[in-house]
Amino acid sequence: MERTLVLLKPDAVQRGLVGTILSRFEAKGLSIVGLKMRTFDRSVLEQHYEVHKERPFYPNLVDFMSSGPVVAIALEGKDAITVVRTLVGKTNAREAAPGTIRGDLGMSFSNNLVHASDGEDTAKFELGLWFADAAELSDWTPADLEWRYSVKEELA
Ligand code: CMP
């Protein structure tokens, strides 16, 4: 099983789309292992987006992400990082494919509803940043795990 970090950005909260977006991840078969909502300090966001520090959009991005509540979610599942990126869709929501979260629900490059870790190293770093206290993450096994996956082929 793999874990990944998802952020529901201030636009998702303001537009009342938290439940809609969360339900897509749950319906897919991913398990929520961490969940919290808060207006986060700029310092967390500066660390989170450190990789974009020199990009022209960086100051606006940090302003936007610290402008209101964000929902931080840790999701678990097989190949969760790739599965979540596929569900979320292209960064520019106007170009994202129908059926993806951004493709169905958004119109913006900057206000693109969701952030999702883009690789194993990033997921490890971001989960450590947003869920620094391991007690905020729950280890649990969904009762229907054996129906989400083939026991013989995928859970052996
Ligand atoms: P996210 O997945 O959170 O990662 C970086 C964010 O920067 C991205 O989603 C967009 O919301 C935002 N952004 C704004 N402009 C750009 C751009 N030109 N290229 C990439 N990301 C951008």
Side-chain angles (χ1 to χ4, degrees), residues 9 49 52 55 57 61 91 102 109-110 112 114-115:
K9 299 183 178 188
Y49 284 123
H52 295 304
R55 308 282 292 275
F57 59 84
L61 180 59
T91 306
R102 288 171 175 154
F109 204 141
S110 306
N112 60 0
V114 183
H115 166 84

Side-chain angles (χ1 to χ4, degrees), residues 19-34:
T20 300
I21 296 172
L22 204 49
S23 70
R24 289 199 177 207
F25 294 124
E26 284 192 294
K28 176 70 174 167
L30 292 150
S31 302
I32 299 169
V33 293

Side-chain angles (χ1 to χ4, degrees), residues 133-149:
D133 178 358
E136 289 186 328
L137 294 172
S138 302
D139 292 322
W140 63 285
T141 303
D144 65 350
L145 188 70
E146 295 172 8
W147 296 100
R148 296 184 193 196
Y149 299 99

Side-chain angles (χ1 to χ4, degrees), residues 7-19 21 64 69 113-114:
L7 301 176
L8 305 190
K9 299 183 178 188
D11 54 322
V13 177
Q14 293 293 340
R15 292 180 56 204
L17 291 172
V18 170
I21 296 172
F64 167 59
L113 299 161
V114 183

